[in-house]
Amino acid sequence: MREDPHRALFELLEDAAAAAVFPGCVALVWRDGAEVYHEAHGQLSTHPDAPERLRAVARDTVYDLASLTKVLATTSLAAIAVAEGRLALDAPVPARWSRACPRARLHHLLSHSAGLPAHREFFVELPRGPAAKLLDRVAATDPAYPLATKAIYSDLGYMILGSWLEDLFGQPLDALFENRVAWPLDLHGGVVPRLGFHRILGARGPSAAQQHLVAPTEVYDPSLHPEGAPSHFACRRPVRCAHYEVHDDNAFAMGGVAGHAGLFGDAAAALEVARAWLDCTLPGLDRRTRDAFWRLSEAPGSTRRLGWDSPSPDGSGSAADVLSSRAAGHTGFTGTSLWIDPAPPDGRGPLIAVLLSNRVHPTRTGTGIAAVRQAFHRAAVRL
């Protein structure tokens, strides 16, 4: 008897939750104009100190999207700016950032080839304060390698890009995203917006009305780290568990809104932005600009496009070996991923695969998500 591909995918994700790869997840697969899989698996949280412990995940559960922020928000806004003539791909990065990435252009930031280091723990010295102070530290960072000689995936480049877009449009990044992406696609509103940033103000965490809608992420419990409390614990005190507060520590120190992280959303909302890229229906985005952003970077050895990634030629990446070379996608540290394939190898029409999870609960140390992502995409293409 032939195996049911829907059941195979269901069991894969149920087993991953049972094995504590993540407490739970939402998976959505769209093929050639229709949803062919949209299911919730597992619980929102499992640790005794976490809110909403053992509450079942729902299809509209909102997750911390982590670095999917880079493509769904920041890259989308950059593409709109290019399509509207506000920016050119070869526009020089503003002088404010010249020390960090001398002679870099917009396309270098987008393709992670601007010479910037991958990461810096700015949050250790600047725990939660004005974003401008942390951005000043980014501006004072020395380059890590010569411009355009390779690609190093860099949060710093997207911190710069988020600030650049704010200056260009004259709006904070969260408001800009809401006005130019979320509202046109009807992804705003509700107790928790279907897709949007959550700015950290005075009170931390979700309201009582929001709690069961958002999956918690990391638990800041020293007993979970017998080798010693990690460096990021200090900036989180007195919070016991991140719940509707951005998990990324530099974005947290910036108040929850940054070009590299900070977006929260549900799987269906992520799908809508992906479809708007695929079909060029995002207001302001035209096909010519979309195609320019989906071209491979010229950086030697890179799989990067502009903002987006492409499948690893050897099949070692999150998309495994089942998507076409034209596919564009991204992953997020919290356990999220999104892939768009305009022309899958099976010839059945476009595919979009969304997997959202909180694999950083209760800690960020697990490694099982890599294998689950590959298995998810192998199963998704069979639907």
Side-chain angles (χ1 to χ4, degrees):
M1 182 180 293
R2 185 178 180 184
E3 182 184 39
D4 178 357
H6 290 81
R7 175 157 292 280
L9 179 51
F10 183 89
E11 290 178 352
L12 165 72
L13 297 175
E14 288 287 304
D15 290 348
V21 174
F22 38 63
C25 71
V26 177
L28 198 165
V29 181
W30 179 93
R31 293 286 326 236
D32 199 17
E35 289 184 10
V36 294
Y37 190 93
H38 190 185
E39 296 292 345
H41 303 267
Q43 286 81 43
L44 292 181
S45 62
T46 54
H47 191 273
D49 287 344
E52 303 301 319
R53 181 170 179 257
L54 303 183
R55 182 188 286 272
V57 176
R59 293 200 303 178
D60 62 351
T61 293
V62 167
Y63 283 90
D64 181 332
L65 301 181
S67 284
L68 292 192
T69 302
K70 293 182 175 75
V71 289
L72 296 177
T74 314
T75 299
S76 293
L77 293 168
I80 291 170
V82 170
E84 292 180 346
R86 296 171 182 261
L87 274 179
L89 288 173
D90 64 352
V93 175
R96 175 186 176 186
W97 313 104
S98 60
R99 173 176 168 177
C101 49
R103 302 182 309 282
R105 308 282 174 160
L106 173 61
H107 66 87
H108 294 122
L109 293 183
L110 288 163
S111 61
H112 299 277
S113 59
L116 292 156
H119 183 65
R120 288 287 187 272
E121 291 190 347
F122 299 112
F123 57 84
V124 173
E125 299 177 32
L126 298 168
R128 229 185 116 210
K133 288 188 175 181
L134 191 145
L135 289 168
D136 286 343
R137 296 295 179 90
V138 176
T141 302
D142 291 328
Y145 60 94
L147 178 70
T149 57
K150 57 183 174 180
I152 291 182
Y153 179 71
S154 174
D155 284 349
L156 278 68
Y158 270 75
M159 294 179 198
I160 292 171
L161 183 52
S163 181
W164 188 0
L165 290 167
E166 288 184 326
D167 292 344
L168 181 71
F169 284 93
Q171 289 183 300
L173 192 65
D174 51 347
L176 179 59
F177 176 78
E178 183 175 8
N179 292 335
R180 298 306 303 266
V181 180
W183 272 95
L185 297 181
D186 196 24
L187 304 175
H188 56 90
V191 176
V192 175
R194 293 181 56 209
L195 194 65
F197 291 89
H198 185 236
R199 189 175 287 275
I200 301 170
L201 300 173
R204 294 180 172 182
S207 67
Q210 295 170 332
Q211 282 186 357
H212 70 282
L213 301 174
V214 183
T217 53
E218 189 165 1
V219 176
Y220 303 107
D221 180 355
S223 70
L224 297 174
H225 301 271
E227 72 287 358
S231 59
H232 61 274
F233 271 33
C235 75
R236 298 287 177 160
R237 296 190 183 108
V239 170
R240 192 69 168 167
C241 177
H243 192 197
Y244 207 22
E245 294 174 338
V246 62
H247 179 261
D248 180 272
D249 302 300
N250 280 328
F252 178 83
M254 294 172 69
V257 180
H260 69 292
L263 203 63
F264 288 79
D266 64 39
L271 172 70
E272 288 304 309
V273 180
R275 289 184 61 189
W277 271 85
L278 179 67
D279 300 331
C280 294
T281 54
L282 180 63
L285 178 65
D286 58 64
R287 192 167 300 275
R288 180 179 178 182
T289 303
R290 192 279 311 276
D291 291 347
F293 272 68
W294 278 2
R295 280 198 290 269
L296 280 174
S297 164
E298 295 180 358
S302 176
T303 61
R304 297 285 164 184
R305 304 183 189 279
L306 298 189
W308 301 85
D309 201 2
S310 66
S312 299
D314 62 0
S316 62
S318 68
D321 53 359
V322 293
L323 300 185
S324 77
S325 61
R326 292 178 57 190
H330 213 282
T331 61
F333 185 77
T334 52
T336 59
S337 64
L338 166 67
W339 281 93
I340 308 167
D341 195 342
D346 62 14
R348 291 169 46 208
L351 176 146
I352 300 173
V354 181
L355 180 62
L356 306 184
S357 80
N358 53 339
R359 71 99 193 164
V360 294
H361 177 88
T363 74
R364 62 179 68 182
T365 56
T367 58
I369 189 65
V372 170
R373 280 173 172 153
Q374 289 207 336
F376 167 68
H377 291 106
R378 292 192 180 105
V381 299
R382 297 175 58 220
L383 298 174

